[in-house]
């Protein structure tokens, strides 16, 4: 018998006979350690490798990451000076190389996201414009914003599928969440409020390119060389190091349909909470002023060791406390797909960079929860084990878009190493034996205080429901 005392969330660590796993997760975790990873990491036993697929993916063109426009520029304009840099321990902390294998960089190459947007548009074609705008605001923010600033309409998905290479915003789109977006995002006093989340970022419109800011974490930037080379002016921005800057996209309420099929547009507080990572943090012990105070960046962008000279050209002073651009998270399943299908998805990132990022993220996952066997007793042939699972992240676990799952894999073996009880066994396709959702997508697995049968599994996941209480997999 398995008894769960605390009903707290769990993640990917191995302790005795207990195995906790994150499968297909993408929102992040706690901790903040950034070890030197194995260059050829072996996946932990709880990770299911993606299937090889049918080869039917459409070919997608690579984009020009050196593009320049009125308001934005591609990452190559930044990495020419900010790559090939190291910390005092001689670790490579290149900004572009770290970022390039992250989900931030590949936010519009992500085939799962593309399929989800296409599915929603297919079910609700009359809402195509709303869906294109809502979904591209955070996944293709430079394209969305550049088009709006130019008074034009932008479609990431249209009648002919994903935006084509001939589209004037193709390069903006395929850069994902890139350097000149995040570092131009200004604090207009609304960050963290209902008027500053759900993609309501603020990027100033400038007539003179040299006035475009590049906000950073240091108060005394030396900007003459950077302005001359890139037409972006480095400026100190305290907001760039706060959780509120992440809240812009990671607190997200999306519109939905009422019982008559009409779009609800009046009260944004009533919109569907697609993900509320920032709000979860804000109400945790990790919030500013809390007993475990940490920002999003403290965990997901851990500090480099010692001093770092941030640019290979243009001078400047060595900096301490530099936040690495690893953007640690949990979505190693998708990163593996991106690596394996680089050609089909139009990705030019070296596979070694994906391997490194995946290894870092798997180590990061192991810091997300603590697991303790509280008590074990044997009376006759009845074994009772109580465990305590403590969430060490600053938000729910799992968090983010409702497609992530954390579960407990519990195995009891006898003296001959034969399995006598198992709950949470993973099949080769990633489904879990006994989990209701994996047999019937209209159902979901109940939450248990006590588990007594092999077909009972402790699962932590968000389940979307309609206003009638039915399980749904469609945001609208």
């Amino acid at each position: 018998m398995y008894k769960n005392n605390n009903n707290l969330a769990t993640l990917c660590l191995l302790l005795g006979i207990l195995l906790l796993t994150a499968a297909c997760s993408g929102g992040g975790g706690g901790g903040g350690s950034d070890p030197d990873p194995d260059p050829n990491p072996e996946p932990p036993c709880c990770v299911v490798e993606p299937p090889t697929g049918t080869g039917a993916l459409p070919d997608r063109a690579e984009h020009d990451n050196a593009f320049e426009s009125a308001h934005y520029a591609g990452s190559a304009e930044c990495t020419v000076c900010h790559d090939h840099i190291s910390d005092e321990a001689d670790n490579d902390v290149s900004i572009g190389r770290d970022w390039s294998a992250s989900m931030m960089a590949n936010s519009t190459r992500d085939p799962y996201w593309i399929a989800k947007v296409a599915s929603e548009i297919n079910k609700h074609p009359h809402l195509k414009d709303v869906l294109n705008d809502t979904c591209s605001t955070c996944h293709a923010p430079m394209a969305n914003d550049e088009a709006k600033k130019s008074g034009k309409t932008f479609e990431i998905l249209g009648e002919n599928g994903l935006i084509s290479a001939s589209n004037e915003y193709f390069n903006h789109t395929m850069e994902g969440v890139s350097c000149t977006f995040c570092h131009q995002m200004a604090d207009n006093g609304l960050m963290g409020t209902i008027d500053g989340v759900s993609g309501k970022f603020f990027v100033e419109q400038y007539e003179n390119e040299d006035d475009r800011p590049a906000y950073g974490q240091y108060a005394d930037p030396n900007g003459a060389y950077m302005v001359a080379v890139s037409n972006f002016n480095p400026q100190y921005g305290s907001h760039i190091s706060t959780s509120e800057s992440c809240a812009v996209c990671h607190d997200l309420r999306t519109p939905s349909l009422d019982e008559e099929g009409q779009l609800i547009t009046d009260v944004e507080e009533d919109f569907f909470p697609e993900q509320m990572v920032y709000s979860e943090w804000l109400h945790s012990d990790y919030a500013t002023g809390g007993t475990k105070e940490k920002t999003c960046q403290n965990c997901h962008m851990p500090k480099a060791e010692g001093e770092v000279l941030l640019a290979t050209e243009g001078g400047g002073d060595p900096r301490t406390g530099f936040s690495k651009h690893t953007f640690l998270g949990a979505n190693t399943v998708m990163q593996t797909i991106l690596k394996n299908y680089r050609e089909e998805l139009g990705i030019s990132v070296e596979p070694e960079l994906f391997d490194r990022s995946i290894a870092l993220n798997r180590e990061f996952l192991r810091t997300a929860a603590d697991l303790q066997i509280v008590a074990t007793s044997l009376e006759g042939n009845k074994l009772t084990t109580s465990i305590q699972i403590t969430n060490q992240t600053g938000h729910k676990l799992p968090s983010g878009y409702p497609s992530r799952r954390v579960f407990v894999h519990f195995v009891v073996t006898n003296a001959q190493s034969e399995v006598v009880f198992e709950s949470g066994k993973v099949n080769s396709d990633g489904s879990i034996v006994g989990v209701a959702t994996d047999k019937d997508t209209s159902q979901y697995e109940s939450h248990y205080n006590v588990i007594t049968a092999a077909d009972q599994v402790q699962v932590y996941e968000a389940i979307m429901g309609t206003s009638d209480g039915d399980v749904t997999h469609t945001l609208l």
Side-chain angles (χ1 to χ4, degrees):
M1 180 169 68
Y2 157 66
K3 180 180 179 183
N4 177 0
N5 282 350
N6 279 18
N7 295 332
L8 296 175
T10 63
L11 202 63
C12 213
L13 49 107
L14 184 62
L15 178 60
I17 58 173
L18 298 167
L19 179 63
L20 289 76
T21 303
C24 223
S25 182
S33 62
D34 193 6
D36 187 18
D38 183 344
N40 298 296
E42 286 292 330
C45 57
C46 56
V47 173
V48 177
E49 291 298 321
T52 56
T54 63
L57 288 170
D59 288 337
R60 299 197 179 112
E62 294 183 13
H63 71 284
D64 177 10
N65 65 355
F67 77 89
E68 295 185 59
S69 67
H71 303 98
Y72 297 100
S75 56
E77 294 294 300
C78 307
T79 59
V80 65
C81 290
H82 294 295
D83 263 357
H84 306 293
I85 58 176
S86 302
D87 63 14
E88 282 190 5
D90 202 31
N91 297 309
D92 182 3
V93 293
S94 297
I95 294 175
R97 288 168 61 82
D98 280 346
W99 163 83
S100 66
S102 72
M103 293 307 301
M104 302 281 277
N106 294 284
S107 59
T108 45
R109 299 281 186 185
D110 179 343
Y112 178 71
W113 174 75
I114 294 168
K116 188 59 185 167
V117 178
S119 172
E120 298 273 344
I121 291 176
N122 183 60
K123 290 179 180 179
H124 307 285
H126 63 294
L127 298 176
K128 180 182 68 172
D129 293 343
V130 172
L131 287 162
N132 266 298
D133 181 56
T134 300
C135 298
S136 67
T137 298
C138 286
H139 278 260
M142 295 190 296
N144 183 292
D145 190 51
E146 185 80 42
K148 287 178 178 175
K149 282 179 165 53
S150 302
K152 298 180 180 179
T153 301
F154 170 71
E155 279 192 358
I156 193 166
L157 283 177
E159 293 181 2
N160 298 318
L162 187 66
I163 184 173
S164 73
S166 61
N167 189 289
E168 63 179 308
Y169 300 117
F170 178 77
N171 293 322
H172 292 72
T173 300
M174 293 305 166
E175 271 284 278
V177 184
S178 189
C179 317
T180 61
F181 167 68
C182 287
H183 288 278
Q184 275 197 100
M185 193 167 58
D187 181 8
N188 61 353
L190 298 176
M191 282 186 169
T193 72
I194 193 69
D195 294 317
V197 296
S198 298
K200 298 190 198 68
F201 54 79
F202 177 70
V203 174
E204 186 65 83
Q205 186 163 0
Y206 292 95
E207 293 184 5
N208 184 351
E209 286 188 346
D210 290 351
D211 293 332
R212 296 180 301 184
Y215 295 112
Q217 66 181 111
Y218 298 107
D220 54 343
N222 180 7
Y225 184 83
M226 185 168 164
V227 171
V229 171
S230 69
N231 302 118
F232 284 94
N233 184 16
Q235 299 178 29
Y236 172 62
S238 60
H239 64 284
I240 204 76
S241 300
T242 67
S243 295
E244 282 69 25
S245 64
C246 305
V248 170
C249 284
H250 290 287
D251 246 26
L252 176 59
R253 297 176 184 269
T254 56
S256 54
L257 304 179
D258 61 21
E259 294 178 353
E260 284 72 44
Q262 300 300 311
L263 196 67
I264 299 172
T265 58
D266 48 355
V267 183
E268 188 163 344
E269 286 85 345
D270 294 335
F271 283 14
F272 178 72
E274 189 259 28
Q275 59 179 281
M276 303 297 288
V277 187
Y278 168 77
S279 288
E280 293 162 10
W281 168 84
L282 192 62
H283 292 85
S284 78
D285 291 338
Y286 294 81
T288 303
T291 57
K292 298 181 179 181
E293 180 175 341
K294 282 187 178 182
T295 64
C296 304
Q297 293 87 339
N298 288 150
C299 292
H300 296 275
M301 300 178 67
K303 304 295 185 184
E305 294 187 41
E307 293 186 334
V308 178
L309 191 61
L310 298 184
T312 56
E313 302 289 341
D317 300 319
R319 304 290 192 173
T320 58
F322 168 65
S323 295
K324 292 182 282 187
H325 287 57
T326 47
F327 296 106
L328 297 176
N331 205 341
T332 61
V333 171
M334 181 52 65
Q335 285 185 301
T336 305
I337 292 172
L338 294 170
K339 182 189 77 169
N340 291 346
Y341 292 96
R342 297 186 311 284
E343 183 176 348
E344 292 90 341
L345 295 172
I347 297 172
S348 59
V349 178
E350 303 99 308
E352 293 77 15
L353 292 180
F354 278 113
D355 286 337
R356 180 177 184 274
S357 182
I358 288 168
L360 287 171
N361 283 326
R362 286 181 177 161
E363 288 300 317
F364 182 60
L365 282 169
R366 295 181 184 278
T367 71
D370 288 338
L371 184 148
Q372 180 182 6
I373 297 178
V374 178
T376 298
S377 64
L378 184 62
E379 298 179 9
N381 64 353
K382 181 180 180 181
L383 173 69
T384 301
T385 299
S386 298
I387 70 170
Q388 176 172 301
I389 304 161
T390 305
N391 181 0
Q392 297 292 0
T393 73
H395 46 68
K396 290 183 179 180
L397 184 62
S399 187
Y401 179 77
S403 66
R404 298 92 195 268
R405 167 182 290 175
V406 174
F407 62 97
V408 177
H409 184 194
F410 184 86
V411 182
V412 180
T413 59
N414 61 19
Q416 289 73 43
S417 298
E418 298 168 331
V419 174
V420 296
F421 180 86
E422 184 170 14
S423 164
K425 180 180 179 180
V426 184
N427 293 315
S428 61
D429 63 358
S431 62
I432 303 172
V433 175
V435 172
T437 313
D438 295 2
K439 294 181 290 186
D440 182 351
T441 56
S442 68
Q443 304 299 313
Y444 62 92
E445 187 72 3
S446 299
H447 195 83
Y448 300 97
N449 289 321
V450 178
I451 285 178
T452 58
D455 62 352
Q456 298 173 338
V457 184
Q458 191 71 305
V459 179
Y460 304 91
E461 60 184 338
I463 302 293
M464 292 193 291
T466 68
S467 57
D468 294 328
D470 297 326
V471 173
T472 182
H473 301 276
T474 302
L475 286 171
L476 285 169

